[in-house]
Amino acid sequence: MSNTKTLHDLSGKWAMNRIKSSDVSPVLEIQGFNALIRKAVSYAPVNLKVTQHGDDEIHIDQTTTASIPAIKEEWYPKDHEWRETKDSFLGRVKSRSHWAKVSELEQGFLTEGLGGEDEIIESEVEALEGTEWKATQVWLMEGGRFVRRVVTTGKGGEKAETRLVYDFEQG
């Protein structure tokens, strides 16, 4: 693990640290995935390939060894504009992101334990088809690890908080 990675330099391959991450099953349940998919995702190793072009464009290809479609993400944190995409796993969604200081966000799970001037990326994703859900994420670095804190809410008020931690593998 390299401690030199920052949010301004995420490019490379990352592997999910299952010990430091929380269970993603409650999030997947809110998103409408059946028990078999939730179980497969919970146990399959998750890897990210991140390609970052400065501070304004980040591409994330998420893959698993399970027979589950990969998630492809495109983030443009400098413009904070909503973009629609169709993902093979999540379906049609809209998303946006922006650079922020912790002090600019509502305090709670997403900002717990962070300093007010810490720089993070806040991102939002909303389903546009199928089950109604919305996810708000905060991206940060902790001890050289890439961390996503996610709060997902469903139409009926269901809520799940998840912490996803990734270790840097190679550039």
Side-chain angles (χ1 to χ4, degrees), residues 7-8 10 52 54-55 58 75-78 96-101 105 118-124 136-141 146-149:
L7 286 179
H8 300 279
L10 291 171
Q52 186 168 0
D55 285 347
I58 303 168
W75 298 100
Y76 301 89
K78 282 232 172 166
R96 68 179 179 172
S97 62
H98 69 109
W99 290 95
K101 299 280 187 196
L105 304 180
D118 288 349
E119 187 173 47
I120 50 93
I121 296 175
E122 180 187 35
S123 64
E124 301 168 272
T136 303
Q137 304 179 27
V138 167
W139 302 4
L140 59 131
M141 296 300 291
F146 176 39
V147 177
R148 288 180 171 187
R149 294 182 183 179

Side-chain angles (χ1 to χ4, degrees), residues 27-98:
V27 168
L28 296 174
E29 186 171 2
I30 289 171
Q31 292 174 335
F33 292 98
N34 68 43
L36 184 61
I37 295 290
R38 293 193 309 265
K39 187 170 185 152
V41 170
S42 292
Y43 290 104
V46 176
N47 297 297
L48 304 179
K49 180 182 177 215
V50 181
T51 306
Q52 186 168 0
H53 305 284
D55 285 347
D56 39 331
E57 187 175 344
I58 303 168
H59 297 266
I60 301 176
D61 292 327
Q62 180 176 310
T63 59
T64 71
T65 56
S67 298
I68 299 168
I71 295 175
K72 294 190 181 292
E73 303 174 58
E74 290 184 11
W75 298 100
Y76 301 89
K78 282 232 172 166
D79 69 15
H80 201 219
E81 297 292 323
W82 286 104
R83 287 184 164 74
E84 288 189 26
T85 58
K86 176 130 175 110
D87 183 85
S88 58
F89 187 70
L90 296 175
R92 210 165 58 83
V93 298
K94 69 177 183 177
S95 62
R96 68 179 179 172
S97 62
H98 69 109

Side-chain angles (χ1 to χ4, degrees), residues 97-114:
S97 62
H98 69 109
W99 290 95
K101 299 280 187 196
V102 171
S103 60
E104 299 168 356
L105 304 180
E106 183 177 320
Q107 300 302 297
F109 171 76
L110 293 174
T111 59
E112 187 176 283
L114 303 177

Side-chain angles (χ1 to χ4, degrees), residues 15-22 46 145 164-167:
M16 181 181 276
N17 183 321
R18 290 278 178 200
I19 294 168
K20 300 223 177 256
S21 296
S22 58
V46 176
R145 292 184 169 100
L164 305 171
V165 180
Y166 301 91
D167 294 320

